[in-house]
Amino acid sequence: PTFSTSCARCSKNRRLRQKRVISERKLTRYFVDHRKVRVVGGQGGRGGHSFYSEPRKIFGGPDGGNGGDGGHVILKADRQMKSLSSVLPFYQGFHGEKGGSKNCYGANGAYMYVKVGTLVKEDGKVVADLTKHGEEYVAAYGGAGGKGNRFFLSNENRAPTSFTPGEPGQERVLHLELKTTAHAGLVGFPNAGKSSLLRAISNAKPAVAAYPFTTLNPHVGIVHYQDYEQVAVADIPGLIKGAHQNKGLGMAFLRHIERCRFFLYVVDLSVSQPWIQLQDLKYELEQYEKGLSERPCVVIGNKIDLAQSRINLPLLKEQIDDRVIALSALTGDNLEELFLHLRELYDTYVKTEQSLGQSPVKW
């Protein structure tokens, strides 16, 4: 059949065949939490070289203006950034324009903003921690503009012809490290039911399956309350023994737990001696970072709908001192108690931050 771009029907079909936006579920395949970026500031514009001349004023003197400064490369924190897959490996700032005649200065190069929400490292040292929304960090400064021949005018040299080129911009190689910022972190072994629980209490849709390591990257779900407060809960990929030694997913996702203000330890009640799981989880957190296992927490005994789980529940409460909330993420039993206690942990965190003069993280 013939195709015409002037036909309204054909042009409509042509628009419909445009590339579709990748869904959030497909974006998880391209989850990137590390990125090496080379940033170079814009080069300054060279100075102008000209002499003023008009009728009856032939020897007007030099009037070359200075060049504009190069633009900076600025990293800007954005809370919507859930992956570094969109961050390019190289960024170049905009160059400044050269100086013009009649003492006109060249325009400065525009700033280049890169949206991130990460930890910035250089040579293994932390140089910036962009956690607050809108926070900025100058990754590479632009070069200064060159001087025009007007700048070199003096009593000894009334007709200078020299001018200077613009300076090159700063060049750096930075390592960006993404860390999930959430109020609560779901910590547990594979197949403990963390993803199922996050689906039950929020609108997040992490993958759920009967095999271990279904979750390969962190998911953040938002729990809404009637007073419009929002608590962010992160589903951290399952840990195994020796995770602090980079076994399993290891260090790649243990660092995402650092930003969580309190933990929700998810324990499978259907296995024998479920309190051993809690001891192993706290041990892995303590080995990764000292004091991490001492943060406020609650133990969630999942899969209470099974007969073996109801037998192990009183045994678990006898072995540990932490509060235990028995529920079923599959059937939704006793989720109300989790909602109430989660709000108590959140309110305690907000009061603590305000008493220290700091602003709590809001979603």
Side-chain angles (χ1 to χ4, degrees):
T2 59
F3 178 82
S4 174
T5 56
S6 60
C7 175
R9 185 175 180 180
C10 295
S11 59
K12 180 180 179 180
N13 294 334
R14 190 178 184 183
R15 288 195 300 270
L16 292 177
R17 286 195 296 268
Q18 292 179 355
K19 186 177 181 180
R20 296 181 179 180
V21 179
I22 300 178
S23 63
E24 183 178 358
R25 186 171 183 179
K26 290 184 178 180
L27 276 176
T28 58
R29 302 178 184 176
Y30 313 106
F31 178 79
V32 178
D33 59 352
H34 264 87
R35 180 72 81 185
K36 181 179 179 181
V37 181
R38 177 170 164 259
V39 289
V40 180
Q43 183 174 359
R46 68 174 179 85
H49 175 264
S50 63
F51 289 89
Y52 184 74
S53 178
E54 65 177 10
R56 294 187 298 274
K57 195 174 184 181
I58 301 176
F59 303 103
D63 66 348
N66 298 336
D69 298 333
H72 306 328
V73 179
I74 301 177
L75 304 179
K76 188 172 183 179
D78 188 354
R79 67 178 60 170
Q80 301 298 329
M81 291 292 293
K82 299 179 181 179
S83 174
L84 298 180
S85 58
S86 60
V87 178
L88 302 178
F90 174 74
Y91 285 96
Q92 169 76 59
F94 295 97
H95 301 315
E97 296 184 2
K98 66 178 182 179
S101 58
K102 298 182 181 179
N103 297 321
C104 291
Y105 282 32
N108 295 331
Y111 294 165
M112 174 171 288
Y113 289 92
V114 183
K115 291 184 178 181
V116 295
T118 60
L119 201 66
V120 184
K121 295 183 178 181
E122 185 178 16
D123 297 331
K125 297 181 180 179
V126 178
V127 295
D129 190 0
L130 305 178
T131 55
K132 298 181 181 179
H133 182 71
E135 191 175 2
E136 297 181 359
Y137 172 73
V138 181
Y141 287 93
K147 303 297 183 181
N149 61 341
R150 171 70 182 183
F151 177 81
F152 298 96
L153 178 64
S154 63
N155 292 330
E156 292 78 13
N157 188 2
R158 305 303 301 173
T161 58
S162 59
F163 61 93
T164 59
E167 297 180 0
Q170 184 183 14
E171 183 175 353
R172 302 172 68 186
V173 177
L174 303 176
H175 294 266
L176 306 183
E177 182 177 314
L178 178 66
K179 293 187 178 182
T180 303
T181 303
H183 300 116
L186 295 174
V187 184
F189 284 100
N191 286 117
K194 301 183 299 299
S195 299
S196 300
L197 181 60
L198 187 65
R199 293 171 71 102
I201 64 178
S202 69
N203 291 329
K205 301 298 181 183
V208 175
Y211 52 86
F213 295 112
T214 308
T215 302
L216 295 178
N217 54 78
H219 290 266
V220 179
I222 307 299
V223 181
H224 300 270
Y225 290 90
Q226 292 183 353
D227 57 350
Y228 302 105
E229 285 287 349
Q230 298 179 351
V231 180
V233 181
D235 177 17
I236 307 298
L239 302 178
I240 63 173
K241 292 184 180 180
H244 67 280
Q245 299 175 350
N246 208 21
K247 294 182 180 180
L249 297 178
M251 310 291 286
F253 295 106
L254 262 175
R255 61 175 169 270
H256 292 282
I257 303 179
E258 296 180 24
R259 301 291 176 88
C260 297
R261 273 61 183 180
F262 42 89
F263 298 136
L264 307 179
Y265 293 103
V266 182
V267 177
D268 187 358
L269 286 177
S270 63
V271 301
S272 60
Q273 298 181 341
W275 55 89
I276 301 297
Q277 298 183 28
L278 182 62
Q279 296 175 3
D280 293 338
L281 290 173
K282 288 189 175 183
Y283 175 78
E284 293 299 330
L285 296 184
E286 192 66 23
Q287 292 298 315
Y288 175 70
E289 181 180 339
K290 188 176 181 180
L292 195 60
S293 62
E294 300 176 358
R295 294 187 183 180
C297 66
V298 61
V299 180
I300 300 176
N302 195 18
K303 304 180 183 180
I304 193 59
D305 53 313
L306 302 178
Q308 186 63 35
S309 299
R310 290 188 288 270
I311 298 175
N312 292 334
L313 178 60
L315 301 177
L316 175 63
K317 293 183 178 180
E318 293 177 358
Q319 294 290 333
I320 63 176
D321 299 328
D322 299 323
R323 179 174 178 177
V324 179
I325 299 178
L327 53 82
S328 174
L330 181 64
T331 62
D333 295 341
N334 204 26
L335 286 179
E336 293 79 8
E337 183 180 356
L338 175 60
F339 284 126
L340 294 176
H341 189 66
L342 184 63
R343 182 58 189 272
E344 293 177 3
L345 292 173
Y346 174 75
D347 292 339
T348 303
Y349 155 71
V350 172
K351 292 179 182 179
T352 304
E353 292 292 314
Q354 291 177 349
S355 64
L356 297 176
Q358 301 177 359
S359 57
V361 176
K362 293 283 187 178
W363 279 73

